[in-house]
Amino acid sequence: MYVLFSLFALCAPISLMARHLEWSFPPELLSTEGVNASWPKIGIDPTGNVVAVWMESGIVKSRSKSLMGEWGYAATLSNEGASSVRLVVDLEGNATAIWLENGTVNAAVKPSAGYWGSYAVISSAGASSCQLALDASGNVAAIWVRNGNIEAATKLAGQSWPSTPDIILTTEATTPYIAIGTNGTIAAIWTSFVDSVKRIHAATKVLNENWSNEFPISTPNQNCGYPKAAVDSNGNVMAAWYRFDDNGSEYANVILQIATKSLNDAWTSPMDMSKPGIRIPADVLVRYDGYGNAILLWSNSYDGSKFNLEERIKPKGQPWSNSETVVINFYQCNQDLAVGSAGDAIFLNLSSGESSSLFINCMSSNLNSFHSGYWGDTFLISIGDRNAYPRVALITNENSIYTAAVWVNYNGTNTAIHAVTGEGTVLTPPTDLDVSQVANNLGVFTEYYNVISWQPNPLSEILGYAVYRNGLFLQLVDADMNQYIDHNRKQNEEVTYGIASVASVYYQGPFAYVTYYPAKRQLNSIAEE
């Protein structure tokens, strides 16, 4: 495992040994012993209640638990012939699952303190490729392909699914994806065949309103595929996909591209986000946090065999970072990413060991502190040496971070579903920030320096504070320090400082900010909005 960047390599005085999250270990077996299981999905609510679903022999199964409790019995949600199960869990702990069953999309709901109800059929026959999305208010949106058309349905919180789905497109379509923001903006994205070329199309709507006309957002005459999308709290949409040249099974110029759309504006032109690769990895992760920071994580191959895992970060109101390599030379591109409202991010990836061993690893950090882009310590959360298809969920409340993960394990006899849960403390920034400028008359010239002070974070696991000036890292100071002196500043120059708590060798929390203004001091010690 290769981690590209660490602030702490620049400043060695602090011994950083604490872990940001504590995971349960060893993993627990969720599926029926001796029965092949697949398609694991997981969700978690702000009080730590966890719901998992998976497939066993063509039947949808589910188990749930409180964070510190035991897993309950396995409930059966479907008849035989099911596949492609999807799951979301809202902030009240209500779970919604959809799956394909003999050509229809079926859906079931589990109340927070109750049991799974009977399933409802929400599509006509001929459906495939279903996807599911959830907003912060508990509204759920589903999308699927039926007879080459894109269909979708929206279930408002506490209500039933509509009797008739929406038909968005009447052209040959594949690989749909749906995303919904906290303001109710829904984005649908998919691949269509237009004049024998694979194009990326999209449509948007707001909850009860009608869908917009579908619109091609990729470049004409370029094959594209594997689209994903995300919507932020203001209704801004980001779509990502791969463009490629192909000749049968040979691929070239495999480039990750994005297009964006603000609430009332048109889609932007496609923008290249990666170097050209030579193999279709088909796995890109697109996320916004609650502050509007964006992250792209994708895999690409430059030798036709191994993959590199790469990322780009876009802090709110700033340009995209350069592409960074997070992991190099891995053989499979299974990965998942969960981002919380406060920017906390958990990333699971599949790593290859000796003799083709496959392990599930976890890394964490906070998007609100990704100004230079890095991930943290790598923790092994799986057992055995045949693991794949990890899925992770994360939720943040006022004081705690709760997370849960599931994956497929092969035990030598059959595939099984393994699960772990994790808990951490919200890493809040220091408070009561202040800044002042001091003139130091040295006789031959006058030096001006800024003094930044703060009230330390009382958490015992705080090991230091990272200090930034105008978004650029300056220094890491000890946990018992409550000020930083920034020498050789211009007189009365406006400058903004960010201070973030640090709790492990790589984990850094969100910022608090303070700005020194010319001719006066005006303090702003709240975390970035």
Side-chain angles (χ1 to χ4, degrees):
M1 187 67 66
Y2 174 71
V3 178
L4 179 72
F5 178 82
S6 167
L7 298 176
F8 307 99
L10 304 177
C11 21
I14 298 178
S15 176
L16 301 171
M17 300 298 294
R19 286 173 53 171
H20 166 52
L21 285 168
E22 293 296 329
W23 289 94
S24 62
F25 200 85
E28 296 184 79
L29 174 66
L30 293 190
S31 56
T32 304
E33 189 170 356
V35 177
N36 281 322
S38 61
W39 283 89
K41 300 291 183 291
I42 199 158
I44 193 167
D45 74 10
T47 61
N49 296 310
V50 185
V51 180
V53 297
W54 67 92
M55 304 297 311
E56 282 186 20
S57 301
I59 297 173
V60 179
K61 296 284 189 175
S62 176
R63 294 177 72 178
S64 59
K65 69 185 290 287
S66 62
L67 191 70
M68 303 307 295
E70 301 291 330
W71 286 98
Y73 76 96
T76 298
L77 276 61
S78 74
N79 301 304
E80 293 183 356
S83 64
S84 306
V85 64
R86 310 290 179 181
L87 174 74
V88 291
V89 177
D90 68 22
L91 297 180
E92 302 298 324
N94 305 303
T96 301
I98 66 170
W99 63 91
L100 298 172
E101 186 174 319
N102 298 318
T104 63
V105 180
N106 294 0
V109 174
K110 178 189 175 297
S112 176
Y115 304 98
W116 287 100
S118 300
Y119 67 83
V121 179
I122 63 173
S123 81
S124 298
S128 63
S129 304
C130 61
Q131 296 284 345
L132 190 62
L134 170 78
D135 72 8
S137 300
N139 303 304
V140 179
I143 193 171
W144 59 88
V145 176
R146 192 177 76 85
N147 297 332
N149 301 330
I150 294 294
E151 296 185 355
T154 303
K155 186 179 83 67
L156 301 182
Q159 299 185 24
S160 300
W161 289 97
S163 58
T164 303
D166 300 319
I167 299 177
I168 304 176
L169 180 75
T170 56
T171 303
E172 186 176 358
T174 61
T175 63
Y177 192 83
I178 196 162
I180 182 170
T182 56
N183 74 334
T185 297
I186 306 175
I189 183 171
W190 62 92
T191 306
S192 283
F193 287 89
V194 180
D195 296 327
S196 300
V197 175
K198 298 175 182 178
R199 295 285 307 277
I200 305 301
H201 287 234
T204 58
K205 67 170 290 186
V206 177
L207 289 179
N208 279 329
E209 297 181 7
N210 295 324
W211 285 96
S212 69
N213 294 328
E214 61 89 13
F215 186 78
I217 60 175
S218 62
T219 303
N221 302 318
Q222 286 186 345
N223 279 318
C224 299
Y226 310 101
K228 298 289 178 63
V231 185
D232 73 6
S233 58
N234 295 316
N236 299 306
V237 182
M238 177 170 56
W241 62 88
Y242 289 100
R243 63 133 296 185
F244 50 87
D245 301 331
D246 70 275
N247 181 16
S249 60
E250 300 295 325
Y251 293 90
N253 294 319
V254 180
I255 298 173
L256 180 69
Q257 294 185 316
I258 66 167
T260 59
K261 181 187 183 304
S262 60
L263 190 59
N264 297 312
D265 294 329
W267 285 93
T268 63
S269 298
M271 174 181 176
D272 289 352
M273 300 296 287
S274 73
K275 297 180 295 183
I278 56 174
R279 180 177 173 182
I280 291 288
D283 214 348
V284 57
L285 302 171
V286 188
R287 302 287 188 271
Y288 282 107
D289 70 5
Y291 299 109
N293 303 308
I295 180 172
L296 286 170
L297 273 165
W298 70 94
S299 50
N300 211 344
S301 178
Y302 303 105
D303 64 3
S305 116
K306 298 182 294 295
F307 291 102
N308 284 356
L309 182 69
E310 301 173 356
E311 73 172 6
R312 292 185 74 167
I313 309 293
K314 187 183 185 305
K316 181 182 179 182
Q318 299 186 36
W320 284 97
S321 68
N322 293 326
S323 174
E324 305 281 3
T325 301
V326 182
V327 184
I328 62 172
N329 295 339
F330 67 109
Y331 288 92
Q332 298 292 329
C333 53
N334 299 156
Q335 59 237 13
D336 197 24
L337 170 69
V339 175
S341 59
D344 289 287
I346 303 294
F347 173 62
L348 300 186
N349 75 286
L350 185 66
S351 66
S352 305
E354 296 181 0
S355 301
S356 300
S357 300
L358 299 173
F359 307 103
I360 307 299
N361 288 315
C362 166
M363 292 186 285
S364 64
S365 198
N366 188 289
L367 295 192
N368 209 30
S369 61
F370 260 104
H371 284 249
S372 296
Y374 63 90
W375 283 94
D377 296 355
T378 298
F379 299 112
L380 177 69
I381 62 173
S382 63
I383 58 174
D385 60 0
R386 294 291 187 271
N387 300 278
Y389 307 110
R391 293 295 179 266
V392 64
L394 176 147
I395 197 76
T396 305
N397 63 26
E398 184 177 354
N399 301 307
S400 300
I401 302 167
Y402 298 130
T403 186
V406 289
W407 61 90
V408 177
N409 167 266
Y410 179 66
N411 56 25
T413 302
N414 62 276
T415 54
I417 306 303
H418 283 191
V420 294
T421 56
E423 184 176 7
T425 303
V426 171
L427 192 59
T428 56
T431 57
D432 300 329
L433 271 65
D434 193 5
V435 61
S436 59
Q437 190 167 88
V438 177
N440 183 18
N441 189 342
L442 301 175
V444 291
F445 67 87
T446 298
E447 179 212 10
Y448 294 92
Y449 61 86
N450 295 339
V451 179
I452 307 97
S453 61
W454 57 85
Q455 187 67 31
N457 189 316
L459 295 175
S460 60
E461 59 263 38
I462 296 301
L463 300 175
Y465 299 99
V467 182
Y468 289 71
R469 181 204 310 127
N470 293 335
L472 298 177
F473 175 71
L474 294 177
Q475 188 172 335
L476 182 70
V477 300
D478 290 330
D480 58 0
M481 300 290 290
N482 65 350
Q483 73 170 22
Y484 175 80
I485 296 176
D486 188 17
H487 286 284
N488 296 315
R489 306 313 309 153
K490 293 180 180 179
Q491 183 180 15
N492 287 330
E493 177 188 41
E494 182 176 323
V495 58
T496 296
Y497 295 93
I499 315 295
S501 301
V502 173
S504 76
V505 66
Y506 292 106
Y507 183 75
Q508 177 184 311
F511 290 109
Y513 289 104
V514 61
T515 300
Y516 179 79
Y517 291 98
K520 67 177 181 178
R521 286 188 304 138
Q522 178 177 337
L523 305 180
N524 174 18
S525 59
I526 60 172
E528 181 181 48
E529 295 179 355

